[in-house]
Amino acid sequence: MSLMDVARGAYVRSPALLRRSLAPVLSLVPTSAKYGSTYRLWRQRIERAKTDLAFANNEHLAALRALLAKAHAGSPFYRELIDRALGTGFDLSRLELDDLLALPVLRKEQLQAAGDNVLAVPRSQVDRGDTSGSNGEKPFSFYLDKDRSVREIAFISVAWTRCGFTETDAKVVLRGVGIDNQGKILHQYDPAMRELRVSAFPLLREHVALYVDLIDKHQVRYIYGYPSAIEVMGRHMIELRRRPRLPILGVMPISEPLYPHQRRTIEAAFGDAKIAHFYGLSEKAAFAEELSGEPDVYAFNPLYGLAELVDEDGQRITTPGVEGRLVSTGFLSTGMPFIRYDTEDRATLVELPGDANGQRLKVRDLA
């Protein structure tokens, strides 16, 4: 576990006052040093897997074997589950992709009930995370590797190259209800992360007028945030007849589905800006990018995890055009393994993963 990998995540999650004091110093650190060798290595691996299908296939299987071996060795919950499904003494170094089907699909309630028995490492080696319980779901607590931040940003950065974004570019961030706990601060520029953070709720017309001025001041060319917030900002910009002086080059929606009406508003407000949308989970168990030229079609990254679509009986869907539940097995953060985890999201099958596409499940209508 690299000190730089942990340090970046610690900075992002640190109190606002501490971030403000550190930001001027960190802004002077070269980008290559700020992200570190782990970031560079993962970017190289992700880029290679796009075109080297044999590499993608081999890495995908190796990651699955390593995950199950770690889960079996360190987690009493998963050890019992794997032994029951595959047999005591099963050689996990010889595990094949289809062997995973012997394991049950797991829901949040089962993992929550297992407590610390679900962890494959001591709790001191992981951070606690929580889902908000949106869409009528109950809140869910889980644990993530302390050093996952740099690996995850490597996947996100590669996805954003689709719209031209690099780690040296600044971006507007439209997320959350406020910059401070009281919701009184509407905006803040973080030079260390090159982020102009603006409050997404409320997002009134006068706020958007101010935000366009700030975009001009900091010469920001990219927009990042909730699709719903970006759409509202776009509508106000159209009504105000305002556009930044420097054209916006890319829009990077996150955390929510991107609906056709939102896409139309974004295109009307930001002109020729390219849209780079991806799907991810707070649990870091799956990651999919929208395909260029194919709106609403997503391909899951084989180095990040193994994604499946299953029917209501838990059987894998193999017929294109059939809708099912998204189940994921995550490779990015393994201290608390997610193996055949029911994400409670749904999608429609476009193409099954296999050797011919580098184990990339392709779906549409992902929500």
Side-chain angles (χ1 to χ4, degrees):
M1 185 181 295
S2 164
L3 178 61
M4 178 63 73
D5 300 346
V6 177
R8 184 191 181 280
Y11 172 80
V12 171
R13 296 186 297 276
S14 64
L17 181 62
L18 178 59
R19 286 201 309 272
R20 284 196 294 272
S21 64
L22 292 175
V25 176
L26 291 176
S27 67
L28 302 176
V29 178
T31 299
S32 58
K34 193 181 301 179
Y35 284 83
S37 60
T38 299
Y39 169 80
R40 294 192 297 273
L41 174 62
W42 273 90
R43 280 208 60 158
Q44 292 168 4
R45 296 178 72 237
I46 296 163
E47 294 283 7
R48 179 179 174 184
K50 288 182 178 181
T51 55
D52 188 340
L53 299 184
F55 173 78
N57 293 328
N58 291 336
E59 292 293 300
H60 185 70
L61 180 57
L64 179 63
R65 288 172 172 172
L67 173 68
L68 263 68
K70 182 175 182 176
H72 188 273
S75 166
F77 171 81
Y78 276 111
R79 185 180 308 118
E80 180 182 353
L81 185 150
I82 292 169
D83 285 346
R84 186 167 62 246
L86 299 176
T88 303
F90 184 90
D91 186 355
L92 292 172
S93 68
R94 294 180 173 273
L95 182 86
E96 297 297 334
L97 296 177
D98 285 345
D99 290 328
L100 191 66
L101 296 174
L103 276 66
V105 173
L106 297 174
R107 298 186 63 83
K108 292 178 172 64
E109 296 83 2
Q110 294 167 278
L111 299 180
Q112 194 93 63
D116 282 2
N117 282 338
V118 79
L119 297 178
V121 298
R123 189 189 281 197
S124 61
Q125 295 183 19
V126 290
D127 293 322
R128 177 170 168 164
D130 298 278
T131 60
S132 62
S134 59
N135 300 323
E137 304 162 5
K138 295 180 179 179
F140 172 53
S141 298
F142 52 89
Y143 293 91
L144 298 171
D145 296 354
K146 288 183 179 294
D147 63 344
R148 84 276 180 185
S149 178
V150 172
R151 294 194 298 276
E152 182 177 27
I153 198 63
F155 283 92
I156 294 172
S157 295
V158 171
W160 285 346
T161 59
R162 177 181 163 191
C163 66
F165 182 84
T166 73
E167 61 263 28
T168 63
D169 290 310
K171 59 183 179 292
V172 177
V173 179
L174 277 159
R175 298 184 66 184
V177 297
I179 307 304
D180 62 328
N181 292 333
Q182 292 76 36
K184 296 180 180 179
I185 300 176
L186 292 177
H187 59 86
Q188 180 186 73
Y189 185 73
D190 184 341
M193 304 302 295
R194 297 186 178 90
E195 292 182 348
L196 172 59
R197 302 186 184 119
V198 299
S199 178
F201 308 108
L203 192 55
L204 305 179
R205 187 180 300 181
E206 56 265 33
H207 297 155
V208 172
L210 170 62
Y211 297 162
V212 175
D213 290 339
L214 291 169
I215 288 171
D216 288 341
K217 175 183 177 181
H218 295 287
Q219 299 185 330
V220 180
R221 310 293 299 275
Y222 294 89
I223 310 289
Y224 160 66
Y226 302 136
S228 55
I230 298 173
E231 183 209 10
V232 172
M233 181 176 182
R235 279 196 278 109
H236 286 319
M237 287 173 57
I238 292 169
E239 293 165 359
L240 290 164
R241 297 184 180 181
R242 290 286 306 274
R243 281 192 179 182
R245 286 196 296 267
L246 294 176
I248 297 298
L249 299 178
V251 176
M252 304 171 300
I254 190 174
S255 297
E256 299 171 347
L258 178 61
Y259 296 107
H261 72 278
Q262 295 172 328
R263 194 185 298 270
R264 289 192 295 270
T265 299
I266 290 170
E267 290 171 349
F270 298 106
D272 295 330
K274 295 182 179 179
I275 297 175
H277 190 220
F278 68 82
Y279 167 89
L281 295 167
S282 299
E283 300 92 316
K284 316 303 179 191
F287 186 91
E289 296 178 48
E290 187 179 50
L291 298 180
S292 296
E294 299 184 65
D296 201 35
V297 177
Y298 296 81
F300 284 86
N301 194 296
L303 303 190
Y304 198 103
L306 187 156
E308 311 169 65
L309 284 183
V310 303
D311 61 21
E312 297 309 313
D313 296 322
Q315 299 300 307
R316 186 176 287 178
I317 290 172
T318 58
T319 304
V322 176
E323 183 188 66
R325 294 183 291 149
L326 178 64
V327 169
S328 61
T329 298
F331 303 154
L332 183 86
S333 179
T334 57
M336 176 178 171
F338 287 94
I339 300 173
R340 300 207 80 199
Y341 170 64
D342 188 341
T343 67
E344 300 184 2
D345 289 331
R346 302 186 69 84
T348 300
L349 180 64
V350 172
E351 182 180 332
L352 284 169
D355 291 347
N357 65 11
Q359 306 301 329
R360 294 177 186 271
L361 174 71
K362 296 180 183 179
V363 304
R364 58 178 171 82
D365 304 325
L366 178 54

